[in-house]
């Protein structure tokens, strides 16, 4: 029992008793079951890992490694662990809720269209979309977190003799394209060996396109992937290990869009003549630029259903805004799913998101969209969900789509998202939250309240298809840095392949609004059963050093 003192004014202090985290009754019973004479031996620990934690590959050698690491931090008899050290083990990094160390276990030999890809939007912007700085820093940070698709907007520089990266039509300050490309090369495979795709939003005249082609080849060299012919089927992530690919519109589409802007009042035959002349001139001047493009992007026409039609012997990428996707999902959802079985679909935030906020990624994911592009510099709940999805599969940036998204008939059965009650429950997840710790070590004494310890509560939510969304909330523990909740909840899962467990801790404050105290988001498909230590992260998704929860997960 500790006492803390908060000064309220010059002559008045508030005093609070702090209760240190106690071993819960559940954990005491587990320890008794797997210990002898008050000590847990290496063999006992191994049995606990296999039977209780469902780690079927655990061995006595692995249990001994845990013992050896615990001896560096705690004193305990050579014969075995006493309950206090066992409790600290449960709260340690040897006992995380996802596989550790992270491991790629999905089949990586299917075509690219079979995978969700960790995708950035305007990857060079440091803040808002209107007047913030453009830099290589957010590109580097994204790649180090496993992002695999980087977007660059290309514009002529002020002298029209070079290429800058910036958000066109805004006050964002530019950064040179060459610096962005070097940053990508130096950091592309720091978090994952699987391919990096660079999407160019091209606003360049033909002579600068040729300059870009030469720059890209010089900087990336042998790691640049340039196919000899157009793809009839996309290659796999396994085939493309440690390769960089370029995706943009071919020169013809670029010229069509540029010419349309310049000569809107020309007759159709005049416009076609001008496009043909410009296209022929570019083909003579810069065939390198066309050969640079590995993944061809096409403009979505006024008839979305025509744009989504399949072309024999050809695969491509289309881009839709979040609003365009919603509209398409309402009247041709099956066409979206069929298109994304072979082709790539990129979804990007609507233009009104000037503050770099994000949107619900599930509209894209449930319709097979591989590239759901996000503003990675944000700190909203949808970004936490995105980070949670791509903690799966070893954090490699590629997550294989569920089988029902590769079969339109199954899609109709499993993802008729309006019929939540019609879907059959596949499994039930039981979650018990025991306690939390680490806030006092992570934050200043008055971080949450200048005159008292925090009043912490936890929201546990399933995010996924509408039929699975569910939200539970614990009671608030007043004036404690190490809250003990000991509460259990159940969640029915109908589409567990796409379900994530979102956990958010807040400090209750009815005056200034509940204050953020940590979050994490975990893929249900990789959640390890048993009693687990769950580290929390800040708003940006960076892990806290000390803040964690002790939880138990059971599937029934």
């Amino acid at each position: 029992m500790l006492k803390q003192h908060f000064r309220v004014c010059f002559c008045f202090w508030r005093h609070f008793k702090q209760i240190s985290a106690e071993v819960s009754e559940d954990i005491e019973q587990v320890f008794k079951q797997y210990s002898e004479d008050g000590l847990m031996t290496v063999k006992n620990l191994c049995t606990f890992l296999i039977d209780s934690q469902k780690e079927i590959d655990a061995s006595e050698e692995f249990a001994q490694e845990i013992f050896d690491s615990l001896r560096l931090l705690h004193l305990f008899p050579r014969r075995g662990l006493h309950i206090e050290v066992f409790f600290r083990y449960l709260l340690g990094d040897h006992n995380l809720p996802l596989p550790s160390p992270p491991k790629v276990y999905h089949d990586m030999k299917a075509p690219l269209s079979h995978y969700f890809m960790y995708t950035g939007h305007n990857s060079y912007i440091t803040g808002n979309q209107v007047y913030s700085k453009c830099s290589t820093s957010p590109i580097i940070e994204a790649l180090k977190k496993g992002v695999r698709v980087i977007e660059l907007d290309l514009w002529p520089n002020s002298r029209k003799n070079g290429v800058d990266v910036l958000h066109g039509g805004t006050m964002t300050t530019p950064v040179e394209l060459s610096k962005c490309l070097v940053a990508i090369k130096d950091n592309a495979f720091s978090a994952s060996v699987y391919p990096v795709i660079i999407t160019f939003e091209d606003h360049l005249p033909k002579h600068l396109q040729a300059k870009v082609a030469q720059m890209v080849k010089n900087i990336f060299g042998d790691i640049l992937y340039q196919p000899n012919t157009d793809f009839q089927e996309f290659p796999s992530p396994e085939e493309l290990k440690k390769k960089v690919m370029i995706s943009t519109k071919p020169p013809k589409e670029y010229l069509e869009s540029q010419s349309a802007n310049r000569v809107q009042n020309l007759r159709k035959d005049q416009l076609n003549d001008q496009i043909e002349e410009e296209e022929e001139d570019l083909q003579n001047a810069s065939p390198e630029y066309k050969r640079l493009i590995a993944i061809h992007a096409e403009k979505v026409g006024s008839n979305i259903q025509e744009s989504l039609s399949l072309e024999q012997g050809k695969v491509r990428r289309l881009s839709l805004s979040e609003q365009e996707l919603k509209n398409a999902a309402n009247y041709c959802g099956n066409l979206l799913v069929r298109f994304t079985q072979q082709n790539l679909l990129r979804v990007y935030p609507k233009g009104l998101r000037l503050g770099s906020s994000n949107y619900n990624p599930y509209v894209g994911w449930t319709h097979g969209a591989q590239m759901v592009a996000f503003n990675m510099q944000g700190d909203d709940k949808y970004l936490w969900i995105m980070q949670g999805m791509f903690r799966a599969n070893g954090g490699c940036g590629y997550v294989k789509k569920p089988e029902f998204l590769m079969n339109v008939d199954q899609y109709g059965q499993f993802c008729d998202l309006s019929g939540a009650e019609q879907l059959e429950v596949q499994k039930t997840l039981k979650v018990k939250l025991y306690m939390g710790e680490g806030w006092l070590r992570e934050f200043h004494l008055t971080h949450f309240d200048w005159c008292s310890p925090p009043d912490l509560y936890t929201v546990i939510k399933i995010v996924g298809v509408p039929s699975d969304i569910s939200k539970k909330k614990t009671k608030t523990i007043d004036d404690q840095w190490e809250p003990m909740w000991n509460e259990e909840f159940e969640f029915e899962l109908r589409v567990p392949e796409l379900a994530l467990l979102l956990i958010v801790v807040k400090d209750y404050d009815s005056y200034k609004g509940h204050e953020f105290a940590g979050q994490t988001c975990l893929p249900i498909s990789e959640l390890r059963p048993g009693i687990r230590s769950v580290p929390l992260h800040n708003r940006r998704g960076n892990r806290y050093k000390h803040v964690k929860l002790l939880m138990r997960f059971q599937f029934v």
Side-chain angles (χ1 to χ4, degrees):
M1 184 82 69
L2 301 174
K3 286 189 178 181
Q4 287 184 340
H5 313 283
F6 290 77
R7 185 175 227 165
V8 179
C9 62
F10 291 110
C11 58
F12 181 65
W13 290 76
R14 297 185 73 191
H15 307 279
F16 296 91
K17 294 180 180 179
Q18 293 300 296
I19 302 173
S20 298
E22 297 177 355
V23 179
S24 72
E25 184 177 336
D26 282 7
I27 295 170
E28 285 183 348
Q29 291 178 352
V30 167
F31 183 79
K32 288 178 182 178
Q33 181 179 354
Y34 294 98
S35 64
E36 303 170 14
D37 300 324
L39 293 176
M40 180 179 283
T41 64
V42 169
K43 186 175 181 179
N44 295 149
L45 178 58
C46 182
T47 304
F48 163 75
L49 294 174
I50 295 171
D51 292 351
S52 183
Q53 304 289 81
K54 308 305 180 187
E55 298 181 29
I56 58 175
D57 295 327
S59 63
E60 289 192 24
E61 290 77 10
F62 177 64
Q64 184 63 58
E65 290 178 11
I66 295 174
F67 262 60
D68 294 341
S69 66
L70 290 171
R71 286 191 190 280
L72 299 174
L73 302 172
H74 308 283
L75 293 174
F76 57 90
R78 182 168 293 277
R79 289 194 304 114
L81 310 177
H82 49 68
I83 190 168
E84 289 80 9
V85 176
F86 176 66
F87 181 58
R88 297 319 306 174
Y89 155 70
L90 291 177
L91 275 164
D93 282 352
H94 281 289
N95 189 40
L96 298 175
L98 300 182
S100 181
K103 181 181 179 182
V104 174
Y105 72 96
H106 291 179
D107 173 17
M108 303 302 285
K109 296 181 180 179
L112 286 175
S113 56
H114 290 223
Y115 300 85
F116 298 129
M117 306 175 192
Y118 204 177
T119 303
H121 170 254
N122 289 355
S123 304
Y124 49 87
I125 288 183
T126 57
N128 65 65
Q129 302 287 313
V130 182
Y131 53 81
S132 61
K133 181 181 178 183
C134 301
S135 168
T136 61
S137 297
I139 296 173
I140 294 170
E141 184 179 355
L143 290 168
K144 288 184 175 179
K145 288 185 175 180
V147 172
R148 297 290 85 191
V149 184
I150 299 293
E151 182 187 25
L152 303 178
D153 287 70
L154 311 185
W155 293 85
N157 65 11
S158 57
R159 295 186 177 182
K160 311 300 181 186
N161 63 351
V163 182
D164 280 343
V165 174
L166 73 155
H167 192 196
T170 69
M171 294 178 285
T172 53
T173 57
V175 59
E176 293 176 19
L177 172 61
S178 60
K179 292 181 179 179
C180 295
L181 298 180
V182 169
I184 293 172
K185 179 188 177 184
D186 291 345
N187 298 275
F189 308 111
S190 58
S192 170
V193 297
Y194 292 101
V196 168
I197 300 171
I198 306 173
T199 61
F200 285 160
E201 287 298 320
D202 180 357
H203 307 277
L204 301 175
K206 57 189 177 184
H207 73 282
L208 289 181
Q209 288 179 337
K211 194 167 187 176
V212 168
Q214 193 60 47
M215 188 187 305
V216 168
K217 287 192 288 187
N218 288 344
I219 290 173
F220 291 113
D222 291 341
I223 68 172
L224 180 66
Y225 183 83
Q226 291 184 272
N228 296 324
T229 59
D230 292 345
F231 295 129
Q232 295 189 16
E233 181 182 69
F234 286 117
S236 70
E238 187 68 27
E239 293 175 77
L240 296 168
K241 272 185 177 179
K242 296 215 168 180
K243 292 293 183 181
V244 171
M245 308 174 76
I246 304 297
S247 178
T248 189
K249 295 182 181 70
K252 179 180 178 181
E253 290 216 354
Y254 164 77
L255 287 166
E256 287 174 347
S257 61
Q258 292 296 96
S259 298
N261 291 335
R262 291 197 304 269
V263 290
Q264 291 179 1
N265 296 324
L266 290 180
R267 295 196 317 269
K268 185 175 181 181
D269 58 339
Q270 291 174 311
L271 176 60
N272 288 337
D273 289 343
Q274 179 167 338
I275 290 173
E276 288 175 4
E277 290 173 7
E278 291 181 338
E279 184 182 1
E280 182 179 356
D281 188 33
L282 178 59
Q283 295 293 345
N284 293 332
S286 181
E288 296 90 351
Y289 189 78
K290 187 172 183 180
R291 289 201 297 266
L292 191 73
I293 303 170
I295 300 174
H296 287 229
E298 291 185 4
K299 185 179 179 181
V300 176
S302 57
N303 187 328
I304 183 65
Q305 291 175 301
E306 285 186 9
S307 296
L308 293 172
S309 62
L310 302 180
E311 298 185 29
Q312 191 70 27
K314 179 183 178 182
V315 290
R316 63 199 193 278
R317 171 175 71 84
L318 291 182
S319 290
L320 296 174
S321 72
E322 57 175 289
Q323 191 58 53
E324 288 173 328
L325 176 71
K326 280 185 180 179
N327 295 338
N330 286 335
Y331 67 85
C332 59
N334 278 7
L335 284 182
L336 286 168
V337 176
R338 182 178 283 111
F339 178 84
T340 56
Q341 289 171 355
Q342 299 176 26
N343 302 279
L344 300 181
L345 179 62
R346 178 178 172 270
V347 185
Y348 58 92
K350 61 186 178 184
L352 293 177
R353 296 190 181 277
L354 302 181
S356 296
S357 63
N358 288 300
Y359 53 100
N360 186 351
Y362 273 95
V363 181
W365 289 338
T366 54
H367 289 87
Q370 298 88 351
M371 299 179 177
V372 178
F374 260 39
N375 295 308
M376 297 298 172
Q377 70 274 35
D379 60 4
D380 52 82
K381 71 172 183 179
Y382 290 127
L383 183 60
W384 305 344
I385 291 170
M386 177 67 67
Q387 291 165 346
M389 171 64 81
F390 288 98
R391 288 191 176 106
N393 201 28
C396 75
Y398 287 84
V399 172
K400 201 162 190 300
K401 295 196 288 188
E403 284 303 313
F404 63 78
L405 287 175
M406 304 311 297
N407 182 304
V408 174
D409 294 332
Q410 286 188 25
Y411 172 80
Q413 176 185 354
F414 280 93
C415 273
D416 178 11
L417 302 183
S418 61
E421 310 323 353
Q422 300 173 9
L423 299 175
E424 185 178 340
V425 174
Q426 301 297 312
K427 61 176 68 174
T428 298
L429 172 63
K430 289 185 176 181
V431 177
K432 184 162 187 178
L433 174 57
Y434 293 109
M435 49 83 67
E437 69 168 20
W439 286 279
L440 187 55
R441 296 178 68 190
E442 197 82 36
F443 303 108
H444 187 269
L445 187 67
T446 58
H447 175 83
F448 294 104
D449 197 321
W450 64 276
C451 63
S452 70
D455 308 320
L456 296 172
Y457 69 91
T458 300
V459 175
I460 303 175
K461 185 176 181 180
I462 296 291
V463 291
V465 300
S467 59
D468 282 343
I469 293 174
S470 180
K471 179 179 176 180
K472 310 290 185 182
K473 179 183 172 183
T474 69
K475 60 181 177 282
T476 300
I477 306 298
D478 294 333
D479 301 324
Q480 292 295 322
W481 288 99
E482 294 187 353
M484 289 177 284
W485 290 285
N486 290 313
E487 293 187 56
E488 188 168 11
F489 308 101
E490 289 191 9
F491 301 94
E492 292 183 337
L493 302 173
R494 294 171 174 82
V495 188
E497 300 94 327
L498 289 176
L500 302 171
L501 183 69
L502 178 62
I503 303 166
V504 183
V505 181
K506 292 188 176 182
D507 170 44
Y508 183 90
D509 192 322
S510 58
Y511 296 102
K512 61 180 182 180
H514 306 327
E515 189 168 350
F516 176 84
Q519 61 84 19
T520 193
C521 190
L522 305 170
I524 297 292
S525 61
E526 296 196 15
L527 199 60
R528 299 201 294 174
I531 301 169
R532 300 292 176 182
S533 172
V534 180
L536 297 186
H537 303 75
N538 64 17
R539 289 183 179 274
R540 292 291 304 276
N542 299 317
R543 179 178 165 178
Y544 288 128
K545 275 188 175 181
H546 307 291
V547 181
K548 61 190 71 172
L549 304 174
L550 188 64
M551 307 181 73
R552 187 186 69 203
F553 306 110
Q554 292 177 293
F555 290 100
V556 294

